Amino acid sequence: WVGIPFASVLFGDVFAAISPWRAVGRAVGWGAERISGGLPSPIEYPERLGRWPAAIGLLLFAWVELVWTGRESPESLAIVALTYAVVMLVGMSCFGVEKWVRNADAFGVAFGLFALLSPFEWSGRRCRLCWPVVGTLRMPELSGAAAVVVVLIGSTTFDGFSQGGVWTGASGLAQ
């Protein structure tokens, strides 16, 4: 969660190459294709849904990490992780692996936004050098895309602010 954004800014969308959800989705699809001889086509991803699932996922992650009192319990965290895994697998099976991870995987979408700042642009296995930050001009204009950015900025700001002296200090807000 901490290192991948930096790697993405430096080298491009590294999470796309190492995403466990994409790997599991492709492996399950490959296995199902071999066993059944063919899978039904995925249903069309609703355009109005856009990146709202990713924004909600990031907001829930931030809440779990920063606010939820159950975050110290391994059992509770296991339930949250399994729930996220089920949502990811069901979404990929309904809408297709690539469409789902590009729009609804909270971490894939967030790290993909950091990758837009990179001086490297990847297309398949080809890499092209470009000016840093210029990739932000290619940010998809999708429903919920701005919400993802707001959640990233807001949760990071809250995390920093809640650990600072204004919030926790003797003369701060936490009195």
Side-chain angles (χ1 to χ4, degrees):
W1 174 242
V2 175
I4 293 177
F6 289 110
S8 297
V9 169
L10 293 174
F11 305 112
D13 196 0
V14 295
F15 191 72
I18 63 170
S19 168
W21 307 118
R22 183 178 267 136
V24 168
R26 286 178 176 172
V28 168
W30 180 86
E33 187 78 29
R34 299 293 181 267
I35 292 169
S36 69
L39 293 172
S41 296
I43 59 177
E44 188 68 29
Y45 185 82
E47 192 173 318
R48 71 182 185 286
L49 205 55
R51 290 197 164 165
W52 281 107
I56 292 166
L58 286 168
L59 185 62
L60 288 173
F61 175 77
W63 178 76
V64 165
E65 184 183 31
L66 303 172
V67 178
W68 187 39
T69 56
R71 69 182 178 265
E72 302 292 329
S73 165
E75 295 86 10
S76 298
L77 290 177
I79 291 169
V80 169
L82 287 172
T83 302
Y84 189 77
V86 167
V87 169
M88 291 300 294
L89 292 172
V90 168
M92 289 186 292
S93 65
C94 290
F95 301 108
V97 173
E98 295 306 317
K99 197 67 163 178
W100 183 258
V101 297
R102 226 177 305 118
N103 291 295
D105 175 13
F107 302 105
V109 169
F111 298 144
L113 289 176
F114 284 109
L116 293 174
L117 302 170
S118 173
F120 299 104
E121 180 183 350
W122 293 88
S123 179
R125 294 179 183 221
R126 301 189 100 156
C127 181
R128 174 174 91 87
L129 194 60
C130 57
W131 289 103
V133 185
V134 172
T136 57
L137 298 173
R138 294 187 315 273
M139 183 175 157
E141 294 180 23
L142 299 169
S143 174
V148 171
V149 174
V150 168
V151 168
L152 287 171
I153 293 170
S155 61
T156 304
T157 303
F158 175 80
D159 187 22
F161 186 67
S162 67
Q163 302 302 313
V166 172
W167 189 278
T168 61
S171 61
L173 302 173
Q175 284 187 351

